[in-house]
């Protein structure tokens, strides 16, 4: 498969940024130790201070990532409020560690796994991906994660597993936005099994070389770069292999506006706004909008998953 690679001249920059991330991680984890001394040792033991090794990925886009500031202060995470500025303001007290994921449904193996055990088995990569939100803004984000399919295969899905459902933590005491019925909680998402197994779909645990900040979906979230942002569900506690298509929260809430597939498609408009162009966050107020690309620019890799489908109907 041909994936857009970073140009060769950038390889020295990769080394530089690795060193930079290494240093920043060190500084953060030193700060974490000081702050952490107030926490019970049970919690400290399960909290990864920093990642040991992150490999750059050939699946990365060559575009310049948005700043850490842009990425972590403007996003959607309704469990912590409905405005784009809410997650950063309201998610700081949330303590995601320790964390486990329950895997169930149509698979040979099922059960509850600790995130530390998952991380011990899956080498981490940095994947710089475009994100496109339905609301016509976009960003470029350097995730740290591993292929979703690698985790799913460990549980040996059966031939009945046609879909995968993901469920966010349901805990209104820790997620204040869940006390407000803006969506039917918990947040849910789903992929067809072949989409879930596609090597571009990842589970992310970090951002800019560091452990995910809470507002970005700590400690474990999905990233599906060819689909609109709402498919990339945050704070995942359940993964279920299913024979039938799962309900996804935004489709359930407004079926005429948000479908199951949610593939980035400049030719299929959202009923309230065009999807033909997008505003890159951080480019400046007067920067021109840019054309939105089919499948968010990943058409070469994913278009075959949808051959023969009417994408205006399966939006
Ligand atoms: N649990 C949960 N996941 C969620 C959301 C949410 O409200 N709750 N919002 C979605 C939407 S609409 C978008 S655009 C992305 C944006 O998050 P990011 O910028 O951190 O990727 O998260 C998605 N995942
Ligand atoms: Mo979104």
């Amino acid at each position: 498969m041909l994936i857009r690679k970073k140009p060769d001249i950038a390889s020295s920059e990769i080394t530089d940024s690795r060193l930079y991330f290494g240093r920043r991680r060190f500084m953060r984890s030193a700060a974490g130790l000081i702050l952490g001394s107030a926490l019970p040792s049970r919690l400290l033991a399960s909290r990864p201070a920093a990642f040991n090794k992150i490999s750059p990925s050939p699946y990365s886009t060559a575009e310049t990532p948005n700043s850490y500031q842009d990425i972590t202060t403007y996003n959607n995470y309704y469990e912590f409020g409905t405005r784009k500025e809410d997650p950063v303001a309201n998610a700081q007290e949330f303590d995601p560690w320790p964390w486990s994921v329950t895997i169930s449904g149509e698979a040979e193996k099922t059960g509850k796994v600790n995130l530390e055990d998952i991380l011990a088995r899956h080498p981490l990569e940095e994947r710089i991906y475009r994100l496109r939100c339905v609301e016509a803004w976009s960003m470029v984000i350097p995730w740290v994660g591993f292929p979703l399919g690698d985790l799913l295969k460990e549980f040996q899905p059966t031939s009945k597993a046609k879909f995968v459902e993901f469920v966010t933590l349901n805990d209104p005491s820790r997620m204040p936005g869940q006390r407000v019925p803006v969506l039917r909680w918990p947040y849910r998402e789903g992929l067809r099994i072949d989409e879930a197994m596609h090597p571009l779909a990842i589970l992310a645990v970090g951002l800019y070389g560091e452990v995910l900040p809470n507002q970005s979906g700590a400690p474990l979230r999905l990233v599906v770069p060819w689909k609109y942002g709402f498919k990339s569900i945050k704070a995942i506690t359940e993964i279920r292999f299913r024979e039938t298509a799962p309900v996804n929260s935004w489709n359930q809430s407004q079926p005429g506006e948000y479908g199951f597939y949610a593939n980035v498609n400049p030719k299929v408009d959202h009923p309230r706004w065009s999807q033909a162009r997008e505003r890159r966050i951080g480019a400046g107020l007067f920067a021109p909008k840019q054309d939105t690309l089919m499948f968010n620019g990943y058409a070469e890799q994913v278009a075959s998953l949808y051959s023969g489908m009417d994408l205006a109907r399966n939006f």
Side-chain angles (χ1 to χ4, degrees), residues 114-191:
N114 287 328
L115 183 52
E116 299 96 291
D117 295 336
I118 295 175
L119 290 177
R121 291 197 298 269
H122 294 275
L124 295 179
E125 298 169 32
E126 180 180 70
R127 298 247 188 135
I128 304 172
Y129 277 168
R130 278 180 290 269
L131 165 91
R132 170 61 157 75
C133 183
V134 174
E135 294 154 292
W137 52 271
S138 64
M139 288 197 217
V140 178
I141 305 183
W143 298 113
V144 176
F146 56 90
L148 167 66
D150 289 356
L151 178 72
L152 298 183
K153 278 174 210 151
E154 281 185 45
F155 295 88
Q156 301 169 18
T158 69
S159 58
K160 280 189 173 171
K162 304 274 196 287
F163 294 90
V164 187
E165 177 177 19
F166 303 88
V167 186
T168 294
L169 177 70
N170 190 20
D171 189 348
S173 72
R174 295 161 72 198
M175 295 179 142
Q178 289 181 338
R179 295 171 211 158
V180 189
V182 281
L183 289 172
R184 231 186 278 173
W185 305 112
Y187 196 96
R188 287 166 196 277
E189 257 308 335
L191 295 171

Side-chain angles (χ1 to χ4, degrees), residues 91-103:
Q92 301 314 314
E93 281 170 36
F94 178 72
D95 184 359
W97 301 95
W99 192 265
S100 59
V101 183
T102 302
I103 287 126

Side-chain angles (χ1 to χ4, degrees), residues 233-312:
I233 180 173
K234 298 177 160 117
I236 298 167
T237 51
E238 274 182 62
I239 298 179
R240 197 172 297 142
F241 294 101
R242 297 175 53 120
E243 193 166 13
T244 55
V247 162
N248 54 311
S249 292
W250 279 105
N251 177 249
Q252 181 180 46
S253 161
Q254 277 139 268
E257 300 190 14
Y258 310 101
F260 174 78
Y261 282 95
N263 290 319
V264 174
N265 190 339
K267 287 178 269 180
V268 176
D269 288 337
H270 180 280
R272 289 184 281 142
W273 50 78
S274 162
Q275 296 293 22
R277 295 169 70 68
E278 65 195 55
R279 181 172 62 90
R280 182 58 53 83
I281 300 294
L285 264 181
F286 303 105
K289 286 191 173 181
Q290 59 192 70
D291 288 343
T292 289
L293 301 173
M294 189 66 198
F295 297 112
N296 205 22
Y298 300 95
E300 198 184 332
Q301 291 84 43
V302 302
S304 63
L305 294 174
Y306 310 101
S307 58
M309 284 178 68
D310 176 352
L311 298 182

